[in-house]
Amino acid sequence: MNEGKKRMAIIASKGTLDMAYPPLILASTAIAMDVDVTIFFTLYGVDIVNKKKYHSLKVAPIANPAMPSPIPFPNILGILPGMTPMATMMMKGMIKKINWPSIPELLNVCIEGGVRMIACTPTLEMTGLKKEDLVEGVEVAGAAEFLDFALDANISLFV
């Protein structure tokens, strides 16, 4: 860490497409502003850096009432078969329309920019994942390693 440089600590605990964007956009923007950034991926957030999953993250419409829809429909319809693929397709369409980068592209920007990414050791143990299952450049460590950085952070976010 550079002395005097601002620090941002982010905890990413959700691995859906809509929840993968906030930590990566905030981190990539912060590094462009010369801020040291560490993201701690825990629980389902590990999917964001899982080589087998990060290309195909999904959006669940159930319990996501703010999700825009061409026609209003009750939340209960989100449990119907095919609704998750439909919601995912809609979100990808909205993302493409505003020309946002994909999750793999954002991860690459973050890694190349120097964002430190830590996957939670207990989460990997719980899910049976190994370091080799993660995107290159992601470290594996526990909460203490993240907290060593976060305790001196100017900004701490849980997304």
Side-chain angles (χ1 to χ4, degrees):
M1 178 193 105
N2 297 332
E3 288 302 317
K5 196 171 185 183
K6 291 193 180 206
R7 301 173 88 169
M8 179 187 292
I10 303 172
I11 298 172
S13 66
K14 296 170 185 69
T16 58
L17 181 62
D18 54 331
M19 293 307 295
Y21 275 95
L24 299 177
I25 287 173
L26 291 167
S28 60
T29 302
I31 58 167
M33 298 172 69
D34 199 32
V35 175
D36 279 336
V37 181
T38 296
I39 305 174
F40 186 65
F41 297 92
T42 188
L43 302 170
Y44 299 115
V46 169
D47 286 353
I48 299 169
V49 292
N50 180 333
K51 284 193 279 194
K52 296 175 186 157
K53 293 186 175 185
Y54 80 115
H55 285 284
S56 58
L57 299 176
K58 309 256 185 286
V59 176
I62 190 90
N64 201 351
M67 184 170 183
S69 171
I71 55 165
F73 58 86
N75 196 29
I76 191 74
L77 293 180
I79 64 171
L80 293 175
M83 294 305 280
T84 295
M86 184 180 85
T88 301
M89 183 180 70
M90 284 173 44
M91 176 121 191
K92 285 183 176 181
M94 290 186 291
I95 288 166
K96 188 174 185 176
K97 192 177 197 177
I98 62 172
N99 205 26
W100 269 8
S102 67
I103 295 302
E105 290 169 331
L106 270 175
L107 272 170
N108 192 45
V109 167
C110 288
I111 291 167
E112 286 183 4
V115 172
R116 184 175 179 207
M117 298 190 182
I118 303 172
C120 174
T121 303
T123 297
L124 296 186
E125 291 170 359
M126 180 178 68
T127 59
L129 289 172
K130 306 272 185 252
K131 182 169 176 39
E132 304 81 57
D133 298 320
L134 305 176
V135 172
E136 192 172 325
V138 176
E139 302 172 40
V140 175
E145 184 71 23
F146 173 72
L147 287 173
D148 188 47
F149 176 88
L151 287 170
D152 292 322
N154 304 91
I155 301 168
S156 297
L157 303 169
F158 186 84
V159 293

